Amino acid sequence: MLLGTLSRYFLKRYAMTVFWFIVGVASIIFLIDFSEVSGRYSDAKGASLFGVFLLTLMRLPLILQQTMPFIALFAGMTALIALNRRSELVVARAAGISVWQFMFPFLLGAMLLGVGSSMILNPLAAIGQQLAQSQEAAWSDSSNAGNSGTDIPWMRQITGKEDTIIGASSVLENGSLLIQPVFIHFDSDGRISYRQDASTAKLQDGYWILNDVIETRPGEKPLREASKKVRTNLKQEFLQERLAQPDTVAFYDLSNKIAVARSFGISTKRLETQFHSLLSMPFLLVAMTLIAATVSLKFSRFNQSRSVILGGIISGFVLYVTTVLVKAFGSSGVVPPFVATWSPVVVAMALGATILLHQEDG
């Protein structure tokens, strides 16, 4: 009964600390991003203060999700140091409760935070990112703000004797609408015959409809046309999988998206890496909490060792950077996605548990 009451108390303290950290970090992110977005689209046609506010709100979940490991690290350190300074952990030790028993609520809280991040925050971030890209694409055309920040690959289509390379600044409507597309046409000898730049390109059954087109041929003046059709054999289903951005796919849809992409023969490394990254998120936050425990459990009533705290922060930062770096290797196919996402988490959890065992149990 004592352990149950104490565990609920520690879990409540940890949850309150995490809540206020989330509120604080989200507020800082919102203010910084609002300032950056408002400056970027200050001259955009149709942009307003309320529109910028909504756009920043759409982008907030994705950025907040990326800060979750640090929130878990600093929340764990803050909660444990506060309990130390009030001698509550000393009393728990005196009552015969081991470090693993009173650390269980913090590890459980970190696990629940990771589950919430993957299953609740991530779908919100995916929806928000899709809406944000649509809004940014609408504004960027009039503000010359460039692309929407997404990495849009170039595509190649071969229809009959015509070979065409297609690129765009952003993609909307599940791949059927290209914003600021570029169509580069080649002749049978592999030389560029002409180029088409348009404001938008809409995929229809068997052809693209280009709007506000500027067609440039070698040795001729550019010719502007209101619209033009370009034949294609690309299907919307293929484009949807080919151009899918992992950040815009919710956790619940990733498995199906991976299966469909494989059926088209499209590389799924990025989607698989994202899927395993979200699966490993709860364990990553547990690893961050273990790191926080290794530098926060030593009792100090008046002053915690600054070097120890700094060491914990640096260790958490190194783990986060390593996770992001290895995730990039997984997305590019250098390392299998499963290995890329799980190996840093498993190693960090093992090291944290080993250090705690050495500190507490000798």
Side-chain angles (χ1 to χ4, degrees):
M1 184 180 297
L2 173 63
L3 185 59
T5 302
L6 189 63
S7 295
R8 288 195 298 272
Y9 171 70
F10 283 165
L11 182 59
K12 180 181 177 182
R13 291 294 304 273
Y14 178 77
M16 289 301 298
T17 305
V18 168
F19 172 77
W20 287 114
F21 262 97
I22 291 177
V23 170
V25 171
S27 301
I28 294 172
I29 291 173
F30 183 85
L31 290 174
I32 295 175
D33 198 42
F34 180 82
S35 176
E36 192 271 334
V37 171
S38 60
R40 190 196 313 171
Y41 296 110
S42 57
D43 298 329
K45 183 179 180 181
S48 63
L49 187 62
F50 182 69
V52 171
F53 176 86
L54 290 179
L55 178 60
T56 308
L57 216 57
M58 296 172 194
R59 290 160 51 96
L60 179 61
L62 179 63
I63 305 175
L64 183 62
Q65 181 187 352
Q66 296 170 351
T67 65
M68 277 299 164
F70 288 106
I71 290 177
L73 175 67
F74 288 113
M77 292 174 62
T78 302
L80 289 170
I81 291 174
L83 292 173
N84 258 333
R85 291 194 170 182
R86 284 195 291 269
S87 304
E88 292 174 275
L89 293 186
V90 175
V91 173
R93 292 175 191 270
I97 299 174
S98 71
V99 62
W100 300 108
Q101 288 175 311
F102 65 70
M103 275 301 300
F104 175 75
F106 297 95
L107 300 179
L108 176 62
M111 179 70 73
L112 294 176
L113 179 63
V115 171
S117 176
S118 296
M119 302 187 71
I120 299 175
L121 186 60
N122 173 259
L124 291 176
I127 295 173
Q129 189 69 0
Q130 291 177 8
L131 296 174
Q133 287 181 4
S134 299
Q135 187 60 70
E136 286 184 284
W139 287 350
S140 63
D141 197 22
S142 58
S143 64
N144 297 319
N147 60 41
S148 61
T150 57
D151 183 19
I152 306 301
W154 289 82
M155 301 176 293
R156 182 179 182 179
Q157 69 172 33
I158 300 177
T159 52
K161 296 182 180 180
E162 192 170 320
D163 191 355
T164 308
I165 301 297
I166 304 173
S169 65
S170 58
V171 178
L172 304 176
E173 298 183 10
N174 295 324
S176 63
L177 179 62
L178 305 182
I179 305 299
Q180 297 177 354
V182 176
F183 286 69
I184 302 177
H185 301 263
F186 296 84
D187 58 23
S188 57
D189 296 325
R191 293 174 296 186
I192 297 178
S193 56
Y194 63 98
R195 166 176 172 156
Q196 293 171 312
D197 295 81
S199 59
T200 61
K202 180 70 174 179
L203 179 63
Q204 301 292 342
D205 188 14
Y207 58 90
W208 292 95
I209 297 182
L210 278 62
N211 297 310
D212 193 16
V213 189
I214 298 178
E215 187 173 297
T216 306
R217 295 179 181 270
E220 300 180 13
K221 291 184 178 180
L223 177 64
R224 180 181 291 273
E225 298 184 58
S227 65
K228 198 158 188 177
K229 291 183 178 181
V230 175
R231 287 193 307 147
T232 183
N233 53 10
L234 297 177
K235 301 297 183 181
Q236 182 176 351
E237 294 81 6
F238 174 82
L239 290 178
Q240 182 177 353
E241 304 306 324
R242 176 72 174 85
L243 302 175
Q245 299 296 312
D247 290 340
T248 62
V249 182
F251 174 73
Y252 305 104
D253 299 329
L254 277 170
S255 296
N256 181 61
K257 184 73 71 173
I258 291 171
V260 174
R262 283 175 178 167
S263 69
F264 282 107
I266 300 171
S267 174
T268 60
K269 298 297 183 183
R270 293 187 304 164
L271 293 173
E272 289 182 60
T273 302
Q274 176 75 354
F275 179 69
H276 286 292
S277 176
L278 293 174
L279 278 182
S280 65
M281 178 64 74
F283 301 96
L284 175 61
L285 301 194
V286 168
M288 286 292 189
T289 305
L290 287 173
I291 292 174
T294 60
V295 300
S296 306
L297 285 180
K298 294 184 67 175
F299 172 72
S300 177
R301 182 160 181 82
F302 298 106
N303 188 28
Q304 197 76 16
S305 173
R306 294 181 180 178
S307 60
V308 174
I309 298 299
L310 181 60
I313 295 173
I314 293 175
S315 300
F317 180 76
V318 170
L319 173 59
Y320 178 79
V321 171
T322 303
T323 303
V324 173
L325 183 62
V326 179
K327 183 179 176 181
F329 289 153
S331 298
S332 61
V334 177
V335 180
F338 180 85
V339 176
T341 51
W342 284 99
S343 54
V345 176
V346 172
V347 170
M349 289 181 64
L351 285 176
T354 301
I355 294 173
L356 274 183
L357 283 170
H358 178 73
Q359 288 181 346
E360 302 296 328
D361 301 328

